């Protein structure tokens, strides 16, 4: 069954992506929508299985690894202050209005704060693909988005740990913060010193694709270590890509990783987002989906956009940066699952939020297309 599903996914995503491109939209939009059509909400041809989920996870890791390979490290460093303002702006506004919205629909204080935290999450994996298609990933705006995503991930997870502690979860906050600091210190040190040395050692090996194999192994190692320390795996993969981008093997790794990723793993990732969404579980809560979707889009867009404006971006660029932070993607889905397990969400609200996450993810590519400054 898995083999047949993979065949459907690979063919359908390429055709849907081509159709979206012909209609003047990023191809990723078509790939996202075809997942919804193929999934249980419409045709039911693809099931959300554990195996498919794991393949999807590899897809998003490789996508962010490639984004790291394309990053201009000097520009990324220059974007640090702007990234902080964009990331924090994209947390404060959704958190505040999400909390008020939760109180308005009858949630208690902790549940309402959790809703605000979930709406504060960001996943730039979809944004990365859209910017690559538009040739805008390695720009000031693109590097600011990547920097903001790292800051957003760390701050939201720490705030989530605080909340779980208040809700009765067994959370050692100093340990949690310490693990995150340790991750970044170790990842940066290993990326700076060990990664170039390891890749160079694999160059003379008399086996096929030794360098690319080592590069992928490092990508997965960094992603695993990130998850182990409570940081999103995509951040680890991105750092691994940045590290390898500074080596002589960058071009070879980039070319061959793109072939591997975009042939099978990335299409599965795009499709799985729609497959995970079961519209039938919403029941009579469509009005809540609409309201929370509007809040989710406008608060992140506005909050991050204001942060970009404060960092010195023009108004069009600020709108574009804000749009790039709108997608909640797999990060918000993970947080929603944590909330369900901790009793901070009930099943009906969980189903609503899954659809809200899908809405923000699907809207991000056309928003970027509409707002991003044209390439000079």
């Amino acid at each position: 069954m898995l083999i047949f599903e993979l065949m459907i996914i690979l063919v359908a995503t390429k055709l849907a992506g081509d159709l979206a491109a012909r209609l003047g939209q990023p191809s990723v939009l078509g790939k996202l929508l075809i997942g919804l059509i193929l999934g249980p909400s419409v045709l039911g041809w693809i099931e959300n299985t554990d195996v498919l989920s794991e393949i999807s996870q590899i897809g998003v890791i490789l996508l962010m690894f490639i984004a790291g390979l394309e990053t201009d490290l000097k520009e990324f460093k220059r974007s640090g202050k702007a990234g902080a303002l964009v990331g924090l702006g994209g947390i404060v506004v959704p958190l505040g209005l999400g909390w008020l919205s939760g109180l308005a629909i009858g949630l208690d204080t902790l549940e309402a704060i959790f809703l605000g935290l979930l709406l504060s999450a960001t996943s730039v994996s979809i944004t990365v693909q859209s910017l690559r298609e538009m040739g805008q990933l390695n720009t000031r705006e693109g590097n600011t988005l990547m920097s903001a995503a790292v800051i957003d991930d760390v701050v939201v997870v720490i705030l989530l740990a605080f909340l779980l502690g208040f809700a009765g979860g067994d959370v050692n906050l100093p340990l949690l913060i310490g693990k995150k600091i340790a991750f970044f210190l170790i990842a940066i040190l290993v990326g700076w010193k060990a990664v170039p040395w390891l890749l160079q050692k694999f160059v003379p090996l008399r086996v096929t694709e030794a360098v690319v194999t080592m590069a992928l192994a490092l990508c997965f190692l960094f992603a695993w270590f990130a998850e182990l320390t409570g940081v999103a795996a995509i951040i680890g993969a991105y750092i691994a890509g940045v590290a390898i981008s500074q080596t002589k093997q960058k071009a070879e790794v980039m070319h061959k990783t793109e072939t591997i990723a975009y042939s099978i793993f990335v299409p599965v990732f795009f499709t799985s987002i729609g497959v995970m969404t079961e519209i039938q579980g919403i029941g009579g809560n469509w009005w809540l989906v609409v309201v929370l979707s509007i809040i989710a889009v406008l608060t992140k867009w506005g909050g991050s956009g204001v942060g970009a404006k404060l960092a010195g971006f023009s108004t069009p660029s600020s709108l574009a940066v804000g749009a790039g932070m709108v997608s909640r993607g797999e990060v918000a889905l993970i947080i929603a699952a944590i909330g369900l397990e901790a009793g901070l969400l009930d099943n009906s609200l969980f189903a609503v939020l899954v659809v809200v996450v899908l809405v923000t993810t699907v809207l991000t590519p056309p928003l970027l297309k509409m707002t991003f400054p044209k390439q000079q």
Side-chain angles (χ1 to χ4, degrees):
M1 184 63 180
L2 174 64
I3 296 173
F4 182 70
E5 288 183 342
L6 285 176
M7 181 276 295
I8 294 175
I9 289 171
L10 296 180
V11 174
T13 52
K14 297 304 179 183
L15 293 177
D18 178 72
L19 178 60
R22 290 175 185 274
L23 294 175
Q25 295 298 323
S27 68
V28 65
L29 177 61
K31 297 171 185 177
L32 291 169
L33 292 175
I34 200 65
L36 182 64
I37 294 170
L38 294 175
S41 295
V42 184
L43 296 177
W45 290 357
I46 307 296
E47 296 180 6
N48 184 27
T49 62
D50 290 340
V51 176
L52 203 64
S53 178
E54 293 297 330
I55 296 174
S56 168
Q57 175 75 348
I58 294 172
V60 70
I61 286 171
L62 291 178
L63 185 63
M64 295 304 292
F65 178 59
I66 292 169
L69 287 168
E70 292 188 324
T71 297
D72 182 332
L73 191 55
K74 291 181 180 178
E75 180 60 41
F76 184 85
K77 290 176 181 177
R78 285 196 292 267
S79 301
K81 178 183 176 182
L85 289 170
V86 170
L88 294 176
I91 291 173
V92 172
V93 178
L95 177 59
L97 290 182
W99 167 60
L100 293 175
S101 301
L103 295 177
I105 62 176
L107 301 181
D108 65 33
T109 300
L110 288 180
E111 292 170 344
I113 294 173
F114 178 81
L115 176 61
L117 271 179
L118 188 145
L119 295 181
S120 302
T122 288
S123 172
V124 293
S125 51
I126 300 301
T127 298
V128 163
Q129 178 60 19
S130 298
L131 294 184
R132 288 194 82 218
E133 292 180 13
M134 294 189 293
Q136 298 279 13
L137 181 58
N138 200 17
T139 59
R140 186 188 177 207
E141 291 86 356
N143 282 299
T144 296
L145 281 167
M146 299 308 302
S147 177
V150 174
I151 293 166
D152 188 290
D153 175 68
V154 173
V155 173
V156 167
V157 172
I158 290 174
L159 292 176
L160 179 62
F162 269 109
L163 184 62
L164 292 175
F166 282 117
D170 185 17
V171 177
N172 186 331
L173 195 62
L175 177 62
L176 183 141
I177 296 174
K179 285 164 64 176
K180 286 175 176 26
I181 294 173
F183 164 75
F184 283 102
L185 291 177
I186 293 171
I188 291 171
L189 180 62
V190 171
W192 177 33
K193 293 293 187 181
V195 167
W197 179 81
L198 282 169
L199 282 184
Q200 192 61 42
K201 288 296 182 183
F202 268 66
V203 170
L205 295 188
R206 288 176 288 184
V207 291
T208 57
E209 308 300 354
V211 171
V212 177
T213 298
M214 187 60 199
L216 291 174
L218 288 168
C219 166
F220 295 138
L221 175 64
F222 275 60
W224 168 80
F225 184 46
E227 281 202 331
L228 185 69
T229 54
V231 179
I234 58 176
I235 301 300
Y238 178 73
I239 292 174
V242 172
I244 294 174
S245 75
Q246 305 305 302
T247 69
K248 296 177 182 178
Q249 292 77 33
K250 170 186 174 179
E252 178 186 358
V253 173
M254 166 77 81
H255 173 68
K256 293 179 178 177
T257 302
E258 281 186 321
T259 300
I260 295 168
Y262 285 96
S263 295
I264 181 167
F265 294 105
V266 173
V268 173
F269 163 62
F270 291 141
T271 304
S272 68
I273 294 176
V275 170
M276 282 189 291
T277 307
E278 296 191 31
I279 295 175
Q280 295 89 339
I282 295 174
N285 290 325
W286 277 104
W287 66 273
L288 190 56
V289 170
V290 174
V291 171
L292 289 181
S293 294
I294 292 172
I295 291 171
V297 172
L298 294 183
T299 54
K300 181 67 80 169
W301 195 1
S304 295
V306 169
K309 188 68 175 175
L310 292 174
F313 282 94
S314 66
T315 298
S317 290
S318 298
L319 288 172
V321 170
M325 294 288 285
V326 165
S327 174
R328 304 316 199 271
E330 72 287 346
V331 175
L333 292 175
I334 292 169
I335 293 175
I338 292 171
L340 186 64
E341 184 178 347
L344 293 169
L345 291 178
D346 60 27
N347 287 322
S348 61
L349 185 55
F350 176 79
V352 166
L353 289 172
V354 169
V355 178
V356 170
V357 170
L358 176 69
V359 170
T360 64
T361 305
V362 168
L363 282 179
T364 296
L367 284 177
L368 285 168
K369 184 83 172 181
M370 179 177 68
T371 60
F372 225 88
K374 301 299 181 184
Q375 193 171 21
Q376 300 299 317

